Amino acid sequence: MLRVYWITITAVCVGLEGVSGDKIIDGTEAKAHSRPYMAFLRIRKGKNMYNCDGFLIHPNFILTAAHCQGENITVRLGAHNLLKNERSQQVIPVEKIIPHECYNEITLVDDIMLLKLKHRARITCEVNTISIPKINEPLDLNKCSVAGWGDTKTNGTGSSVLREVNINVRFKSLSQIFGRGSGKKGACHGDSGGPLVCTGTSNIPTAVGIVSYGPKRCEDPGSEVYTKVSAYRDWIKKKINASSSA
């Protein structure tokens, strides 16, 4: 499998005007605000703007993929339709970008990053945190899904509305999870950094993975690769504690 970053690059002057809502490969539109942990990221790097996703794990912190780094990042929480001025939305600049120290741009090992928000997110019905798993927590890997504002096809455009698709976990390594939906169902460009959500203890939705990379063409067969969140639980806790006390 080719290791292809799943970010969407747009020119600085190009926004989301005119984009379609038919995104996430062969998926469906999510019920509005049914995933209150989802975060839409606008990332500036040089003259380019990148789109990634992330998820709120603490009122002050977003978890996402390390390959979504940039010089400046703005987080949008509480969104469903990015083209609408929804009252639920909270736009918060990122104060500190914290990629994993061992992240490798070639192998995409340790593709995980924390974003410290400039101020705390206001917890509401549309904006809330999601649990991350303990190292040995029992999980129902038969009930997993991924969501995002990414493309439905290679070289497509970003979605205006959040879309979702079910994912079948195929196998796990020490630090990664491999999975794919049935047929061509799955994530695509622009979905990087979003959570692979499975059922955890007491049927609580739990972010077990982070969208990292997939086939060169989203429609091609093969597994998508997710950073395994539980493998980095100690790192996450350490970085949150250090940044919160700074």
Side-chain angles (χ1 to χ4, degrees):
M1 178 189 297
L2 293 176
R3 294 183 174 89
V4 176
Y5 296 144
W6 274 1
I7 54 179
T8 294
I9 306 173
T10 57
V12 173
C13 60
V14 177
L16 287 162
E17 291 81 359
V19 300
S20 162
D22 186 22
K23 307 306 164 195
I24 279 272
I25 295 292
D26 206 16
T28 58
E29 181 176 346
K31 180 181 178 180
H33 310 298
S34 61
R35 297 173 182 261
Y37 46 81
M38 288 296 299
F40 178 73
L41 312 182
R42 286 290 281 170
I43 306 150
R44 182 184 296 275
K45 190 172 184 180
K47 295 182 179 179
N48 290 324
M49 293 297 292
Y50 299 77
N51 295 339
C52 275
D53 294 333
F55 48 105
L56 191 70
I57 62 169
H58 179 285
N60 279 114
F61 291 91
I62 298 290
L63 197 59
T64 186
H67 73 259
C68 293
Q69 295 181 54
E71 297 158 7
N72 180 272
I73 303 177
T74 301
V75 172
R76 191 185 303 193
L77 299 167
H80 177 68
N81 190 328
L82 298 173
L83 297 182
K84 292 185 177 180
N85 185 23
E86 300 164 320
R87 288 187 175 183
S88 57
Q89 292 187 20
Q90 300 178 38
V91 179
I92 307 175
V94 169
E95 179 180 279
K96 189 175 183 180
I97 299 171
I98 312 169
H100 196 282
E101 299 84 353
C102 298
Y103 167 62
N104 188 306
E105 292 184 352
I106 297 175
T107 65
L108 291 190
V109 172
D110 301 316
D111 191 12
I112 185 171
M113 178 169 67
L114 274 168
L115 303 175
K116 182 181 181 182
L117 302 177
K118 191 170 183 179
H119 62 79
R120 291 172 64 92
R122 183 167 49 87
I123 301 302
T124 66
C125 292
E126 298 85 8
V127 175
N128 210 336
T129 58
I130 186 171
S131 298
I132 61 173
K134 298 179 176 64
I135 294 175
N136 295 314
E137 179 178 343
L139 299 166
D140 186 352
L141 299 181
N142 294 312
K143 298 180 180 179
C144 299
S145 62
V146 66
W149 290 273
D151 303 348
T152 58
K153 62 182 180 180
T154 303
N155 299 322
T157 55
S159 174
S160 59
V161 297
L162 184 68
R163 297 185 70 83
E164 61 190 7
V165 68
N166 292 331
I167 297 294
N168 302 315
V169 173
R170 296 176 176 176
F171 62 95
K172 300 180 290 182
S173 69
L174 291 176
S175 62
Q176 293 176 316
I177 297 172
F178 300 79
R180 185 69 183 257
S182 59
K184 64 178 182 179
K185 293 178 183 293
C188 194
H189 308 288
D191 293 319
S192 280
L196 173 67
V197 179
C198 302
T199 303
T201 305
S202 302
N203 290 321
I204 296 174
T206 303
V208 306
I210 302 169
V211 178
S212 182
Y213 65 90
K216 184 175 182 180
R217 286 176 46 83
C218 302
E219 299 84 357
D220 290 345
S223 292
E224 299 161 358
V225 181
Y226 302 83
T227 303
K228 186 178 176 183
V229 174
S230 62
Y232 297 91
R233 186 179 176 91
D234 289 344
W235 179 86
I236 293 168
K237 183 178 180 180
K238 178 182 177 181
K239 294 301 178 182
I240 287 179
N241 288 342
S243 295
S244 298
S245 61

